Amino acid sequence: AAGVIQSPRHLIKEKRETATLKCYPIPRHDTVYWYQQGPGQDPQFLISFYEKMQSDKGSIPDRFSAQQFSDYHSELNMSSLELGDSALYFCASRRTGVNTGELFFGEGSRLTVL
Amino acid sequence: KQEVTQIPAALSVPEGENLVLNCSFTDSAIYNLQWFRQDPGKGLTSLLLIQSSQREQTSGRLNASLDKSSGRSTLYIAASQPGDSATYLCAVIETWGKLQFGAGTQVVVTP
C-alpha cells in the first residue's frame, strides 16, 4: 500500500539559508500535517492543511511557511535557518470523513543546519 | 491546554516478560488516541488507534486500553522480544486531527 512520501530524506544547510521540504500524502487523503521533532523531544505540531486551506496552526516560526497544492502534496518552506531548526520533520496525512481519523506518518526529513 | 504524560520514561525488561506502558492526558475531550513506535532516528509507525467510544484495541501481541473519564491509556505488549526495543509514543487526537504527543517511553528488551 502507498505510504506518505517525504523528500528529501536528509538535508544539510548553512545558517541563514533556505530549505524546502516536500510531502506527498497517501492517495485520497485530503489533510496534511507537519510536525517537528528536535533531538530527544516529542514531535511538535507545526501546521495543517485541509483541501488546500490552512486548517490549524501550531508552534510554527514566522520564518516558516507552508502550502498544500491542487494535487494535495504539501511543501514546508524554511528561511533564515537557525541552528535550532535542526530536527526531524514529519509529514502526516489522513482522509477526513473516515471514522477512525487515523494519521499516517512519513519517514521524515532530517534537516541539519550548520 | 492538553498535556500528555508517559510513565515510565524508560523501561528495561528481559525477553519474554510483558510490557506495560502508561499514558495519561489532562483533557478528556479527545477525539481518538493513537500509539506509535519509533526506532532511533526513524519515522513513526502507527501501532494502534483507539476511538474515543472504544475501551480497547488489540493487534497481535499488542493491546491498548482507554479510559477517557480518568484520562488514561495503557499499552500492553505480551511476551516481549528484543525486536520490540524502541520508543513508544502515545498521542491524543484533538480537533482537526491534530496530535498531541507524550514524551515517549524508551523500551529495551534484553535477550
Side-chain angles (χ1 to χ4, degrees), chain B residues 27-39:
Chain B
D27 186 349
S28 62
I30 64 171
Y31 187 54
N32 293 323
L33 185 142
Q34 198 166 352
W35 281 92
F36 294 89
R37 169 188 171 135
Q38 186 174 31
D39 293 290

Side-chain angles (χ1 to χ4, degrees), chain A residues 9 31 33 35 37 40-45 48 50 55-58 88 90 94 96 98-108 110, chain B residues 1 6 31-32 34 36 38 40-51 89 92-104:
Chain A
R9 295 293 310 280
T31 307
Y33 304 82
Y35 285 82
Q37 186 178 29
Q41 299 179 359
D42 54 289
Q44 295 294 316
F45 171 71
S48 63
Y50 167 66
S55 54
D56 200 356
K57 192 173 181 180
L88 195 54
F90 288 109
R94 68 186 278 258
T96 55
V98 175
N99 284 339
T100 63
E102 187 173 1
L103 264 70
F104 296 87
F105 281 78
E107 286 293 313
R110 181 171 295 283
Chain B
K1 182 191 172 193
Q6 290 188 246
Y31 187 54
N32 293 323
Q34 198 166 352
F36 294 89
Q38 186 174 31
K42 301 293 186 181
L44 296 164
T45 301
S46 178
L47 297 174
L48 288 168
L49 179 138
I50 310 176
Q51 297 181 55
L89 296 137
V92 298
I93 302 175
E94 301 178 320
T95 55
W96 285 103
K98 183 178 68 176
L99 268 68
Q100 180 70 40
F101 284 88

Side-chain angles (χ1 to χ4, degrees), chain B residues 1 11 13 26 30 33 37 43 51 59-60 63 69 71-74 90 94:
Chain B
K1 182 191 172 193
L11 186 59
V13 299
T26 54
I30 64 171
L33 185 142
R37 169 188 171 135
Q51 297 181 55
S59 176
N63 175 278
S69 59
R72 293 179 184 176
S73 177
T74 302
C90 78
E94 301 178 320

Side-chain angles (χ1 to χ4, degrees), chain A residues 57-92:
Chain A
K57 192 173 181 180
S59 52
I60 184 170
D62 292 339
R63 300 177 289 107
F64 292 10
S65 65
Q67 57 181 325
Q68 186 180 31
F69 295 85
S70 58
D71 63 351
Y72 295 101
H73 95 271
S74 178
E75 295 184 4
L76 177 65
N77 299 293
M78 300 174 284
S79 62
S80 303
L81 288 170
E82 303 173 356
L83 296 178
D85 295 329
S86 295
L88 195 54
Y89 290 83
F90 288 109
C91 172

Side-chain angles (χ1 to χ4, degrees), chain A residues 9-15 17 19 21 39 78 81-89 109-114:
Chain A
R9 295 293 310 280
H10 302 274
L11 192 59
I12 299 175
K13 291 287 186 179
E14 300 277 344
K15 281 173 54 178
E17 283 191 325
L21 306 181
M78 300 174 284
L81 288 170
E82 303 173 356
L83 296 178
D85 295 329
S86 295
L88 195 54
Y89 290 83
S109 293
R110 181 171 295 283
L111 171 66
T112 302
V113 181
L114 302 175

